[in-house]
Amino acid sequence: MRVYYSSASPFAAKVRMAARHCDLDIESVATDTGAEPADLIAANPLGKIPALVLDDGTALYDSRTICDYFDKMTGGQLLPATLDAWTRVKLVEATADGIGDALILTVYEERYRPEEKRHQAWVDMQMRKADRGLAVLETLLADLPEQLTTADFAVAGLLGWMSFRFKGKLEAERPALSKWLADFPEKFPAFAELGPRPAA
Ligand SMILES: N[C@@H](CCC(=O)N[C@@H](CS)C(=O)NCC(=O)O)C(=O)O
């Protein structure tokens, strides 16, 4: 199996951490989505990472689909079996992923739009989504199961990325999330290797 990723991507970090947690052997292929490389587009017509290509050539994309695939493949190593715990985990995962989606749009507004075409009111709306999500995430984290799940990897990917892309925001506004991130490597030591980091 191989996964297309970039070192900064919160979603790619999520699936690479989940794969390690499941002891899955995957090859990681560093990818620049902005260049729309042909091998990535062949795996994911949306041109986004992460995209996973199985040994038989089947391609899967979107971090949730990929993590769910790992979970099925390994007999439930990433998601709880009971409906109640599954629901809590999936809600945290969806919240973390949705915050990432909103924040990434604000990053892309700066990266891809010329200054005179940027629309601050739209950026502010995305930030309000992210801020509401972060407030809810803080309350939801307390209800996660003991064992690591896709929710932990989604949150660790998001917060790890925010720690350099939105430097100081968590410490100033969401200290409980900042503490959660600081404590995460104790639960999952491979975060130091697989967590998001600024592109070199
Ligand atoms: N919902 C997707 C989001 C993936 C995503 O937005 N990835 C970003 C990088 S962090 C990307 O590939 N962006 C390039 C683009 O949007 O063209 C997931 O969970 O995998």
Side-chain angles (χ1 to χ4, degrees), residues 36 40-48 51 59 61:
E36 298 181 279
L40 172 65
I41 303 294
N44 179 357
L46 308 173
K48 294 190 182 200
Y61 41 86

XYZ file of all heavy atoms in Angstrom, residues 36 40-48 51 59 61:
93
model
N -0.488 19.429 -8.955
C -1.423 18.464 -9.555
C -0.697 17.305 -10.258
O -0.912 17.058 -11.454
C -2.362 19.174 -10.539
C -3.235 20.229 -9.860
C -4.184 20.919 -10.822
O -3.714 21.844 -11.517
O -5.342 20.531 -10.901
N -0.924 11.389 -8.387
C -1.936 11.705 -7.370
C -3.321 11.794 -8.002
O -4.291 11.229 -7.481
C -1.602 13.038 -6.661
C -2.706 13.551 -5.715
C -2.911 12.602 -4.530
C -2.403 14.958 -5.214
N -3.408 12.476 -9.134
C -4.717 12.645 -9.797
C -5.286 11.285 -10.219
O -6.498 11.066 -10.160
C -4.582 13.572 -11.039
C -4.006 14.934 -10.636
C -5.914 13.723 -11.772
C -4.862 15.783 -9.753
N -4.370 10.369 -10.612
C -4.836 9.027 -10.989
C -5.438 8.319 -9.770
O -6.386 7.537 -9.889
C -3.674 8.212 -11.555
N -4.881 8.605 -8.597
C -5.390 7.968 -7.373
C -6.608 8.701 -6.827
O -7.501 8.088 -6.249
C -4.287 7.935 -6.311
N -6.626 10.017 -6.985
C -7.733 10.819 -6.446
C -8.054 11.949 -7.423
O -7.295 12.920 -7.519
C -7.337 11.396 -5.071
C -8.441 12.260 -4.483
O -9.484 12.475 -5.109
N -8.218 12.762 -3.280
N -9.164 11.846 -8.123
C -9.501 12.878 -9.119
C -9.641 14.265 -8.496
O -9.533 15.275 -9.197
C -10.845 12.395 -9.683
C -11.388 11.442 -8.666
C -10.201 10.821 -8.000
N -9.848 14.305 -7.173
C -9.992 15.598 -6.497
C -8.637 16.256 -6.240
O -8.571 17.415 -5.823
C -10.744 15.413 -5.174
C -12.075 14.655 -5.310
C -12.670 14.375 -3.942
C -13.053 15.442 -6.171
N -7.564 15.471 -6.452
C -6.219 16.030 -6.299
C -5.852 16.346 -4.864
O -5.001 17.206 -4.609
N -6.500 15.674 -3.918
C -6.228 15.958 -2.509
C -5.472 14.816 -1.858
O -5.585 13.657 -2.281
C -7.543 16.170 -1.750
C -8.298 17.406 -2.195
C -9.446 17.683 -1.256
C -10.228 18.897 -1.730
N -11.029 19.479 -0.663
N -4.300 10.200 -0.168
C -4.909 9.213 -1.062
C -4.116 7.926 -0.860
O -2.884 7.961 -0.750
C -4.828 9.673 -2.505
N -7.748 2.553 -5.452
C -7.419 3.804 -4.769
C -8.558 4.214 -3.845
O -9.735 4.048 -4.172
C -7.146 4.890 -5.796
N -9.685 7.491 -1.102
C -9.320 8.819 -0.621
C -10.328 9.344 0.374
O -11.423 8.804 0.512
C -9.115 9.812 -1.768
C -10.122 9.718 -2.886
C -11.331 10.409 -2.820
C -9.851 8.932 -3.996
C -12.246 10.323 -3.857
C -10.767 8.833 -5.033
C -11.960 9.529 -4.962
O -12.864 9.442 -5.984
